Amino acid sequence: MTRALGHAGRLALLGLGGFVVLALGAAAGLWAQAWDVPVGKAYMSPGTDAWLGTDALGYDLFAQAVQGARVSLVAGVGGAAGAVAVGGALGAWAGLRGGWTDRLLSGATDAFAAVPPVVALLAMALALGPGVSTVVVAIAATQWTGVFRAARAEGQRLRAADYYRAAQAMGAGTLHQIGWHVVPALRPVLLSALVVLFAHAVKVEALLAYLGASAPELPSWGKLLARSGSELARGVWWPTLAASAPLALLVLCAQVLADRSGRRRE
């Protein structure tokens, strides 16, 4: 048992370390060389002049990957935090209030969850136009339903507790109960959901960028993947590596941390 916990702890540290490396890389993108300035010939293979090679226009793929990390991290953190905030607040309110409020919010959530996520994402992207803010809003607006259900269940549990009824009899309102009872009880669940949704949000951002819904003026991993498909068929593999390697590392680190947070709750 102790050995298993130690192994899980090392994996969590590894995941956290991966996050730190990628975050530092994204911060370094603020001072990195311009990604849209040619550094050599088209399709130069990885080497000392261009660590990850160049694309069809001779642009440095390493600089594009570093700049793309900023877009992915902002979209991942913003979208996941928005989904947790919306789902947590609505779920806790529905669980504590009960009655028609619970039925109305639960019915709306079930109806919203019935819409295919890709359809909802594309509809919001088309309505709001391409951009990082569009990606953040689209992720938050389509990924909150699971958090709603967890928060609603916790709210229902607390509504049946004696201390909640006592506080209610003393005149405590719903917002007071959420702040003093629901939020502390939900903190482990919400933190775990935040990490899980972050990993999912990064993949969603890559999908939207692949489809052209991300910021048109900034490079992103999804855009690199969209351009690298035809290049890979010609034997030019390094553009695919420049996008897929950091994306896979970021998602893996998030999943490791999510698994660790789930073990802590158990």
Side-chain angles (χ1 to χ4, degrees), residues 6 23 27 29 51 70 101 104 106 108 117 131 149 151 156 164 192 205 226 235 239 244:
W51 290 356
R70 294 165 51 198
T101 302
L104 178 63
S106 297
R149 295 187 178 98
Q156 290 177 326
Y164 172 80
S192 179
E205 187 280 328
S244 59

Side-chain angles (χ1 to χ4, degrees), residues 103-132:
R103 292 192 295 271
L104 178 63
L105 290 176
S106 297
T109 302
D110 292 338
F112 193 86
V115 179
V118 175
V119 175
L121 286 169
L122 292 179
M124 295 195 67
L126 290 174
L128 300 177
V132 178

Side-chain angles (χ1 to χ4, degrees), residues 16-265:
L16 182 60
F19 264 125
V20 171
V21 169
L22 288 169
L24 290 177
L30 297 173
W31 296 277
Q33 66 181 46
W35 62 269
D36 55 352
V37 175
V39 296
K41 297 183 298 182
Y43 294 134
M44 287 176 52
S45 59
T48 55
D49 294 332
W51 290 356
L52 292 178
T54 60
D55 61 9
L57 299 177
Y59 296 161
D60 188 0
L61 287 170
F62 177 78
Q64 293 184 56
V66 170
Q67 296 285 345
R70 294 165 51 198
V71 177
S72 294
L73 287 174
V74 169
V77 172
V84 168
V86 172
L90 292 179
W93 184 268
L96 286 178
R97 296 291 295 179
W100 68 267
T101 302
D102 186 17
R103 292 192 295 271
L104 178 63
L105 290 176
S106 297
T109 302
D110 292 338
F112 193 86
V115 179
V118 175
V119 175
L121 286 169
L122 292 179
M124 295 195 67
L126 290 174
L128 300 177
V132 178
S133 59
T134 296
V135 175
V136 172
V137 172
I139 292 172
T142 57
Q143 306 300 318
W144 57 271
T145 54
V147 183
F148 171 89
R149 295 187 178 98
R152 174 176 174 268
E154 186 63 28
Q156 290 177 326
R157 185 187 69 80
L158 290 176
R159 184 156 54 93
D162 292 337
Y163 62 84
Y164 172 80
R165 295 178 178 178
Q168 194 174 35
M170 295 174 63
T174 303
L175 292 178
H176 174 83
Q177 298 282 43
I178 290 176
W180 281 92
H181 301 302
V182 178
V183 172
L186 275 179
R187 188 179 295 120
V189 177
L190 295 181
L191 288 177
S192 179
L194 180 65
V195 178
V196 173
L197 286 177
F198 172 79
H200 186 67
V202 169
K203 293 182 286 186
V204 170
E205 187 280 328
L207 171 64
L208 292 177
Y210 185 91
L211 298 175
S214 188
E217 73 281 1
L218 296 174
S220 71
W221 296 337
K223 290 180 184 177
L224 289 176
L225 286 173
R227 296 199 306 262
S228 65
S230 59
E231 297 165 342
L232 185 61
R234 298 199 304 267
V236 183
W237 52 267
W238 45 94
T240 303
L241 177 66
S244 59
L247 177 61
L249 177 61
L250 183 59
V251 172
L252 177 62
C253 292
Q255 290 296 144
V256 168
L257 289 178
D259 180 69
R260 177 58 177 166
S261 62
R263 290 174 182 271
R264 288 179 65 88
R265 289 208 323 270

